[in-house]
Amino acid sequence: MIDEDGVVYVAPLPDGPILVLDGVSALIWQTVCDSQVDDAVAYVADATGQRPDDIAGHIEAFIDGLVRRGALVRIDRA
């Protein structure tokens, strides 16, 4: 991952492809990498002025897409 001026470049290794994340997608990526999905929903809601209930499904779908592309791996921390 490379984070440059609010744009995040992510690629599943070794073959990519490179995903370019900016705006809210970069915010979600950075938050999920540092915490859990529930924290990401709260953080993004606060940063964008949205209600958590209104965006939780969108954030979950975005994260699921990253997992399907091999750019993110879910880890059960229980």
Coordinates of all heavy atoms in Angstrom, one line a residue:
M1 N 0.8 -1.2 0.0 CA 0.0 0.0 0.0 C 0.9 1.2 0.0 O 1.9 1.3 0.7 CB -0.9 0.0 1.2 CG -1.7 1.3 1.3 SD -2.5 1.6 2.9 CE -1.2 2.2 3.9
I2 N 0.5 2.2 -0.8 CA 1.1 3.5 -0.8 C 0.1 4.5 -0.6 O -1.0 4.5 -1.3 CB 1.9 3.8 -2.2 CG1 2.9 2.7 -2.4 CG2 2.4 5.2 -2.2 CD1 3.6 2.8 -3.8
D3 N 0.3 5.4 0.3 CA -0.7 6.5 0.6 C 0.0 7.8 0.3 O 1.0 8.2 0.9 CB -1.0 6.5 2.1 CG -2.0 7.5 2.5 OD1 -2.4 8.4 1.7 OD2 -2.5 7.5 3.6
E4 N -0.5 8.5 -0.7 CA 0.1 9.7 -1.2 C -1.0 10.8 -1.4 O -1.8 10.7 -2.3 CB 0.9 9.5 -2.5 CG 1.8 10.6 -2.8 CD 2.8 10.2 -3.9 OE1 3.5 9.2 -3.6 OE2 2.9 10.9 -4.9
D5 N -0.9 11.9 -0.6 CA -1.8 13.0 -0.8 C -3.3 12.6 -0.8 O -4.1 13.0 -1.6 CB -1.5 13.8 -2.0 CG -0.1 14.4 -2.0 OD1 0.3 14.8 -0.9 OD2 0.5 14.5 -3.1
G6 N -3.7 11.7 0.2 CA -5.1 11.2 0.3 C -5.5 10.2 -0.7 O -6.7 9.8 -0.7
V7 N -4.6 9.8 -1.6 CA -4.9 8.7 -2.5 C -4.1 7.5 -2.1 O -3.0 7.5 -1.8 CB -4.5 9.1 -4.0 CG1 -4.8 8.0 -4.9 CG2 -5.3 10.4 -4.4
V8 N -4.8 6.3 -2.1 CA -4.2 5.1 -1.6 C -4.1 4.2 -2.8 O -5.1 4.0 -3.5 CB -5.0 4.4 -0.5 CG1 -4.4 3.1 -0.1 CG2 -5.2 5.4 0.7
Y9 N -2.9 3.6 -3.0 CA -2.7 2.6 -4.1 C -2.5 1.3 -3.4 O -1.6 1.1 -2.6 CB -1.5 3.0 -4.9 CG -1.6 4.4 -5.5 CD1 -1.2 5.5 -4.8 CD2 -2.1 4.5 -6.8 CE1 -1.3 6.8 -5.4 CE2 -2.2 5.8 -7.4 CZ -1.8 6.9 -6.7 OH -2.0 8.1 -7.2
V10 N -3.4 0.3 -3.8 CA -3.4 -1.0 -3.1 C -3.3 -2.1 -4.2 O -4.0 -1.9 -5.2 CB -4.7 -1.2 -2.3 CG1 -4.7 -2.6 -1.7 CG2 -4.8 -0.1 -1.2
A11 N -2.6 -3.1 -4.0 CA -2.5 -4.2 -5.0 C -2.4 -5.5 -4.2 O -1.5 -5.7 -3.4 CB -1.4 -4.0 -5.9
P12 N -3.2 -6.5 -4.6 CA -2.9 -7.9 -4.0 C -1.6 -8.4 -4.7 O -1.4 -8.2 -5.9 CB -4.1 -8.7 -4.5 CG -4.9 -7.9 -5.4 CD -4.4 -6.5 -5.4
L13 N -0.8 -8.9 -3.9 CA 0.5 -9.4 -4.4 C 0.5 -10.9 -4.7 O -0.3 -11.6 -4.1 CB 1.6 -9.2 -3.3 CG 1.8 -7.7 -3.0 CD1 2.9 -7.6 -1.8 CD2 2.3 -6.9 -4.2
P14 N 1.1 -11.3 -5.7 CA 2.2 -10.6 -6.5 C 1.7 -10.0 -7.8 O 2.5 -9.3 -8.4 CB 3.2 -11.7 -6.8 CG 2.3 -12.9 -6.9 CD 1.2 -12.8 -6.0
D15 N 0.5 -10.3 -8.2 CA 0.1 -9.9 -9.5 C -0.9 -8.7 -9.7 O -1.3 -8.4 -10.8 CB -0.6 -11.2 -10.2 CG 0.4 -12.3 -10.3 OD1 1.6 -12.1 -10.5 OD2 -0.1 -13.5 -10.1
G16 N -1.3 -8.1 -8.6 CA -2.2 -6.9 -8.8 C -3.6 -7.4 -9.1 O -4.0 -8.5 -8.8
P17 N -4.4 -6.6 -9.7 CA -4.1 -5.3 -10.3 C -4.0 -4.2 -9.2 O -4.5 -4.4 -8.1 CB -5.2 -5.0 -11.2 CG -6.4 -5.7 -10.5 CD -5.8 -6.9 -9.9
I18 N -3.5 -3.0 -9.5 CA -3.4 -1.9 -8.6 C -4.8 -1.3 -8.5 O -5.5 -1.0 -9.5 CB -2.4 -0.9 -9.1 CG1 -1.0 -1.5 -9.0 CG2 -2.5 0.4 -8.2 CD1 0.1 -0.6 -9.6
L19 N -5.3 -1.1 -7.3 CA -6.5 -0.4 -7.1 C -6.2 1.0 -6.6 O -5.3 1.2 -5.7 CB -7.4 -1.1 -6.0 CG -7.7 -2.6 -6.3 CD1 -8.3 -3.2 -5.1 CD2 -8.6 -2.7 -7.5
V20 N -6.8 2.0 -7.1 CA -6.6 3.4 -6.7 C -7.8 3.8 -5.9 O -9.0 3.9 -6.4 CB -6.4 4.3 -7.9 CG1 -6.2 5.8 -7.5 CG2 -5.3 3.9 -8.8
L21 N -7.6 4.1 -4.6 CA -8.7 4.5 -3.7 C -8.5 6.0 -3.3 O -7.4 6.4 -2.9 CB -8.7 3.7 -2.5 CG -8.6 2.1 -2.7 CD1 -8.5 1.4 -1.4 CD2 -9.9 1.7 -3.5
D22 N -9.6 6.8 -3.5 CA -9.5 8.2 -3.0 C -10.8 8.5 -2.4 O -11.8 7.8 -2.4 CB -9.1 9.1 -4.2 CG -10.2 9.2 -5.3 OD1 -11.1 8.4 -5.3 OD2 -10.0 10.0 -6.1
G23 N -10.8 9.7 -1.8 CA -12.1 10.2 -1.1 C -12.5 9.2 0.0 O -11.7 8.7 0.8
V24 N -13.8 8.9 0.0 CA -14.3 8.0 1.0 C -13.7 6.6 1.0 O -13.5 6.0 2.0 CB -15.9 8.0 0.9 CG1 -16.4 7.0 1.9 CG2 -16.5 9.3 1.2
S25 N -13.4 6.1 -0.2 CA -12.9 4.8 -0.3 C -11.5 4.7 0.4 O -11.2 3.7 1.0 CB -12.8 4.3 -1.8 OG -12.0 5.1 -2.6
A26 N -10.7 5.7 0.2 CA -9.4 5.8 0.9 C -9.6 5.9 2.4 O -8.9 5.3 3.2 CB -8.6 7.0 0.4
L27 N -10.6 6.7 2.8 CA -10.9 6.8 4.2 C -11.3 5.5 4.8 O -10.8 5.1 5.9 CB -12.0 7.8 4.4 CG -12.4 8.2 5.8 CD1 -11.3 8.8 6.6 CD2 -13.6 9.2 5.8
I28 N -12.1 4.7 4.1 CA -12.6 3.4 4.6 C -11.4 2.5 4.7 O -11.2 1.8 5.7 CB -13.6 2.8 3.7 CG1 -14.9 3.6 3.7 CG2 -13.9 1.3 4.0 CD1 -15.9 3.2 2.6
W29 N -10.5 2.5 3.7 CA -9.3 1.6 3.7 C -8.5 1.9 4.9 O -8.1 1.0 5.6 CB -8.6 1.8 2.4 CG -7.2 1.1 2.4 CD1 -6.0 1.6 2.8 CD2 -7.0 -0.3 2.1 NE1 -5.1 0.7 2.7 CE2 -5.6 -0.5 2.3 CE3 -7.8 -1.3 1.6 CZ2 -5.0 -1.7 2.1 CZ3 -7.2 -2.5 1.4 CH2 -5.8 -2.7 1.6
Q30 N -8.1 3.1 5.1 CA -7.2 3.5 6.1 C -7.8 3.1 7.5 O -7.1 2.7 8.4 CB -6.9 5.0 6.1 CG -6.1 5.3 4.9 CD -6.0 6.8 4.5 OE1 -6.9 7.5 4.9 NE2 -5.0 7.2 3.8
T31 N -9.1 3.3 7.7 CA -9.8 3.1 8.9 C -9.8 1.6 9.2 O -9.6 1.1 10.3 CB -11.2 3.7 9.0 OG1 -11.1 5.1 8.7 CG2 -11.8 3.5 10.3
V32 N -10.2 0.8 8.2 CA -10.3 -0.7 8.4 C -9.0 -1.3 8.6 O -8.8 -2.2 9.4 CB -11.0 -1.3 7.1 CG1 -10.8 -2.8 7.1 CG2 -12.4 -0.9 7.0
C33 N -7.9 -0.8 8.0 CA -6.6 -1.3 8.3 C -6.1 -1.0 9.7 O -5.3 -1.8 10.2 CB -5.6 -0.7 7.3 SG -5.8 -1.4 5.6
D34 N -6.6 0.0 10.3 CA -6.2 0.4 11.7 C -7.2 -0.1 12.8 O -6.9 -0.1 13.9 CB -6.1 1.9 11.8 CG -4.9 2.4 11.0 OD1 -4.0 1.7 10.8 OD2 -5.0 3.6 10.7
S35 N -8.4 -0.6 12.4 CA -9.4 -1.0 13.4 C -10.3 -2.0 12.8 O -9.9 -2.8 11.9 CB -10.2 0.2 13.8 OG -10.9 0.8 12.7
Q36 N -11.5 -2.1 13.3 CA -12.5 -3.0 12.9 C -13.6 -2.3 12.0 O -13.7 -1.1 12.0 CB -13.1 -3.7 14.1 CG -12.1 -4.4 14.9 CD -12.6 -5.7 15.5 OE1 -13.7 -6.0 15.3 NE2 -11.7 -6.4 16.2
V37 N -14.4 -3.1 11.3 CA -15.4 -2.6 10.4 C -16.4 -1.7 11.2 O -16.7 -0.6 10.7 CB -16.2 -3.7 9.7 CG1 -17.4 -3.2 8.9 CG2 -15.3 -4.5 8.8
D38 N -16.8 -2.0 12.4 CA -17.7 -1.2 13.1 C -17.1 0.2 13.4 O -17.8 1.2 13.4 CB -18.1 -1.8 14.5 CG -19.0 -3.1 14.2 OD1 -19.6 -3.2 13.2 OD2 -19.1 -3.9 15.2
D39 N -15.8 0.2 13.7 CA -15.1 1.5 13.9 C -15.1 2.3 12.6 O -15.2 3.5 12.7 CB -13.7 1.2 14.4 CG -13.7 0.6 15.8 OD1 -14.7 0.7 16.6 OD2 -12.7 -0.1 16.1
A40 N -14.9 1.6 11.5 CA -14.9 2.3 10.2 C -16.2 3.0 9.9 O -16.2 4.1 9.4 CB -14.5 1.3 9.1
V41 N -17.3 2.3 10.2 CA -18.6 2.9 10.0 C -18.8 4.2 10.8 O -19.2 5.2 10.3 CB -19.7 1.9 10.3 CG1 -21.1 2.6 10.3 CG2 -19.7 0.7 9.3
A42 N -18.4 4.1 12.1 CA -18.5 5.3 12.9 C -17.6 6.4 12.5 O -18.0 7.6 12.4 CB -18.2 4.9 14.4
Y43 N -16.4 6.1 12.1 CA -15.4 7.1 11.7 C -15.8 7.7 10.4 O -15.8 9.0 10.3 CB -14.0 6.4 11.6 CG -13.0 7.4 11.3 CD1 -12.4 8.2 12.3 CD2 -12.5 7.6 10.0 CE1 -11.4 9.1 12.0 CE2 -11.5 8.5 9.7 CZ -11.0 9.3 10.8 OH -10.0 10.2 10.5
V44 N -16.2 6.9 9.4 CA -16.6 7.5 8.1 C -17.9 8.3 8.3 O -18.1 9.4 7.7 CB -16.8 6.4 7.1 CG1 -17.4 6.9 5.8 CG2 -15.4 5.7 6.8
A45 N -18.8 7.8 9.1 CA -20.1 8.6 9.3 C -19.8 10.0 9.9 O -20.3 11.0 9.5 CB -21.0 7.8 10.3
D46 N -18.9 10.0 10.9 CA -18.5 11.2 11.5 C -17.8 12.2 10.5 O -18.0 13.4 10.5 CB -17.6 11.0 12.7 CG -17.2 12.2 13.5 OD1 -18.2 12.9 13.9 OD2 -16.0 12.5 13.7
A47 N -16.9 11.6 9.7 CA -16.1 12.4 8.8 C -16.9 12.9 7.6 O -16.6 14.0 7.1 CB -14.9 11.5 8.2
T48 N -18.0 12.3 7.3 CA -18.8 12.7 6.2 C -20.2 13.3 6.6 O -20.9 13.8 5.7 CB -19.1 11.5 5.2 OG1 -19.9 10.5 6.0 CG2 -17.8 10.9 4.7
G49 N -20.5 13.3 7.9 CA -21.7 13.8 8.3 C -22.9 13.0 8.0 O -24.1 13.4 8.0
Q50 N -22.7 11.7 7.8 CA -23.8 10.7 7.5 C -24.1 10.0 8.8 O -23.4 9.9 9.7 CB -23.3 9.7 6.4 CG -22.9 10.3 5.1 CD -24.1 10.9 4.4 OE1 -25.1 10.3 4.3 NE2 -23.9 12.1 3.8
R51 N -25.3 9.4 8.7 CA -25.7 8.5 9.9 C -25.2 7.1 9.7 O -25.2 6.6 8.6 CB -27.3 8.4 9.9 CG -27.9 9.7 10.3 CD -29.4 9.6 10.4 NE -29.8 8.2 10.8 CZ -30.9 7.6 10.5 NH1 -31.8 8.3 9.8 NH2 -31.1 6.3 10.8
P52 N -24.6 6.6 10.7 CA -24.0 5.2 10.6 C -25.0 4.2 10.0 O -24.5 3.4 9.2 CB -23.6 4.9 12.0 CG -23.4 6.2 12.7 CD -24.4 7.1 12.1
D53 N -26.2 4.2 10.4 CA -27.2 3.2 9.8 C -27.4 3.4 8.3 O -27.7 2.4 7.6 CB -28.5 3.4 10.5 CG -28.5 2.9 12.0 OD1 -27.5 2.2 12.4 OD2 -29.4 3.2 12.7
D54 N -27.2 4.6 7.8 CA -27.4 4.9 6.4 C -26.2 4.4 5.5 O -26.4 4.1 4.4 CB -27.6 6.4 6.2 CG -28.9 6.9 6.7 OD1 -29.8 6.1 7.0 OD2 -29.0 8.1 6.9
I55 N -25.0 4.3 6.1 CA -23.8 4.0 5.3 C -23.2 2.6 5.6 O -22.4 2.2 4.9 CB -22.8 5.1 5.4 CG1 -22.2 5.2 6.9 CG2 -23.3 6.4 4.9 CD1 -21.0 6.1 7.0
A56 N -23.7 2.0 6.7 CA -23.1 0.7 7.1 C -23.1 -0.3 6.0 O -22.1 -1.0 5.8 CB -23.7 0.2 8.4
G57 N -24.2 -0.5 5.4 CA -24.3 -1.4 4.3 C -23.4 -1.1 3.1 O -22.8 -2.0 2.5
H58 N -23.2 0.1 2.8 CA -22.3 0.5 1.7 C -20.8 0.2 2.1 O -20.1 -0.2 1.2 CB -22.5 2.0 1.4 CG -23.8 2.4 0.9 ND1 -24.3 2.0 -0.3 CD2 -24.8 3.1 1.5 CE1 -25.6 2.5 -0.4 NE2 -25.9 3.1 0.7
I59 N -20.5 0.5 3.3 CA -19.1 0.3 3.7 C -18.8 -1.2 3.8 O -17.8 -1.7 3.3 CB -18.8 0.9 5.1 CG1 -18.9 2.4 5.0 CG2 -17.5 0.4 5.7 CD1 -18.8 3.2 6.2
E60 N -19.8 -2.0 4.3 CA -19.6 -3.5 4.3 C -19.5 -4.0 2.9 O -18.6 -4.9 2.6 CB -20.8 -4.1 5.0 CG -20.6 -5.6 5.3 CD -19.6 -5.8 6.3 OE1 -19.5 -5.2 7.3 OE2 -18.8 -6.8 6.1
A61 N -20.3 -3.5 1.9 CA -20.2 -4.0 0.5 C -18.8 -3.6 -0.1 O -18.3 -4.4 -0.8 CB -21.3 -3.4 -0.3
F62 N -18.4 -2.4 0.2 CA -17.0 -2.0 -0.3 C -15.9 -2.9 0.2 O -15.1 -3.3 -0.5 CB -16.8 -0.5 0.1 CG -15.5 0.0 -0.3 CD1 -15.2 0.3 -1.6 CD2 -14.4 0.1 0.6 CE1 -13.9 0.8 -2.0 CE2 -13.2 0.6 0.2 CZ -12.9 0.9 -1.1
I63 N -16.0 -3.2 1.5 CA -15.0 -4.0 2.2 C -15.1 -5.4 1.6 O -14.1 -6.1 1.3 CB -15.2 -4.1 3.7 CG1 -14.8 -2.7 4.2 CG2 -14.3 -5.2 4.3 CD1 -15.2 -2.5 5.7
D64 N -16.3 -6.0 1.4 CA -16.5 -7.3 0.8 C -15.9 -7.3 -0.6 O -15.2 -8.3 -1.0 CB -18.0 -7.6 0.7 CG -18.6 -8.0 2.0 OD1 -17.8 -8.3 3.0 OD2 -19.8 -8.0 2.1
G65 N -16.0 -6.2 -1.4 CA -15.4 -6.1 -2.7 C -13.9 -6.2 -2.6 O -13.2 -6.8 -3.5
L66 N -13.3 -5.5 -1.7 CA -11.8 -5.6 -1.5 C -11.4 -7.0 -1.1 O -10.3 -7.5 -1.6 CB -11.4 -4.6 -0.4 CG -11.5 -3.1 -0.8 CD1 -11.1 -2.3 0.5 CD2 -10.6 -2.7 -1.9
V67 N -12.2 -7.7 -0.3 CA -11.8 -9.0 0.1 C -11.9 -9.9 -1.2 O -11.0 -10.8 -1.4 CB -12.8 -9.5 1.2 CG1 -12.6 -11.0 1.4 CG2 -12.5 -8.7 2.5
R68 N -13.0 -9.8 -2.0 CA -13.1 -10.6 -3.2 C -12.0 -10.4 -4.1 O -11.5 -11.3 -4.8 CB -14.4 -10.3 -3.9 CG -15.6 -11.0 -3.3 CD -16.8 -10.9 -4.2 NE -17.2 -9.6 -4.6 CZ -17.9 -8.8 -3.8 NH1 -18.3 -9.1 -2.6 NH2 -18.2 -7.6 -4.3
R69 N -11.4 -9.2 -4.2 CA -10.3 -8.9 -5.1 C -9.0 -9.3 -4.6 O -8.0 -9.2 -5.2 CB -10.3 -7.4 -5.4 CG -11.5 -6.9 -6.2 CD -11.3 -5.4 -6.5 NE -12.3 -5.0 -7.4 CZ -13.0 -3.9 -7.3 NH1 -12.8 -3.1 -6.3 NH2 -13.9 -3.5 -8.2
G70 N -9.0 -9.7 -3.3 CA -7.7 -10.2 -2.7 C -6.9 -9.0 -2.1 O -5.7 -9.2 -1.8
A71 N -7.5 -7.8 -2.1 CA -6.7 -6.7 -1.6 C -6.8 -6.6 0.0 O -6.0 -5.8 0.6 CB -7.3 -5.4 -2.2
L72 N -7.7 -7.3 0.6 CA -7.9 -7.2 2.0 C -8.3 -8.6 2.5 O -9.0 -9.4 1.8 CB -9.1 -6.2 2.3 CG -9.3 -5.8 3.7 CD1 -8.1 -5.0 4.2 CD2 -10.5 -4.9 3.8
V73 N -7.9 -8.9 3.7 CA -8.2 -10.2 4.3 C -8.8 -10.0 5.6 O -8.3 -9.2 6.4 CB -6.9 -11.1 4.5 CG1 -7.2 -12.4 5.2 CG2 -6.2 -11.4 3.2
R74 N -10.0 -10.6 5.8 CA -10.7 -10.4 7.1 C -10.0 -11.3 8.2 O -9.7 -12.5 7.9 CB -12.1 -10.8 7.0 CG -13.0 -9.8 6.3 CD -14.4 -10.2 6.4 NE -15.2 -9.4 5.5 CZ -15.9 -8.3 6.0 NH1 -15.8 -8.0 7.3 NH2 -16.6 -7.6 5.2
I75 N -9.8 -10.7 9.3 CA -9.2 -11.5 10.4 C -10.1 -11.4 11.6 O -10.5 -10.3 12.0 CB -7.8 -10.9 10.9 CG1 -6.8 -10.9 9.7 CG2 -7.3 -11.6 12.1 CD1 -5.5 -10.2 10.0
D76 N -10.5 -12.6 12.1 CA -11.4 -12.6 13.3 C -10.6 -12.4 14.5 O -9.7 -13.2 14.8 CB -12.1 -14.0 13.3 CG -13.1 -14.1 14.4 OD1 -13.5 -13.0 15.0 OD2 -13.6 -15.2 14.7
R77 N -10.9 -11.3 15.2 CA -10.1 -10.9 16.4 C -10.7 -11.4 17.7 O -10.4 -10.9 18.7 CB -9.8 -9.4 16.4 CG -9.0 -9.0 15.2 CD -8.7 -7.6 15.3 NE -7.9 -7.2 14.1 CZ -7.4 -6.1 13.9 NH1 -7.5 -5.1 14.8 NH2 -6.7 -5.8 12.8
A78 N -11.7 -12.2 17.6 CA -12.4 -12.7 18.8 C -11.6 -13.7 19.6 O -10.7 -14.2 19.2 CB -13.7 -13.3 18.4

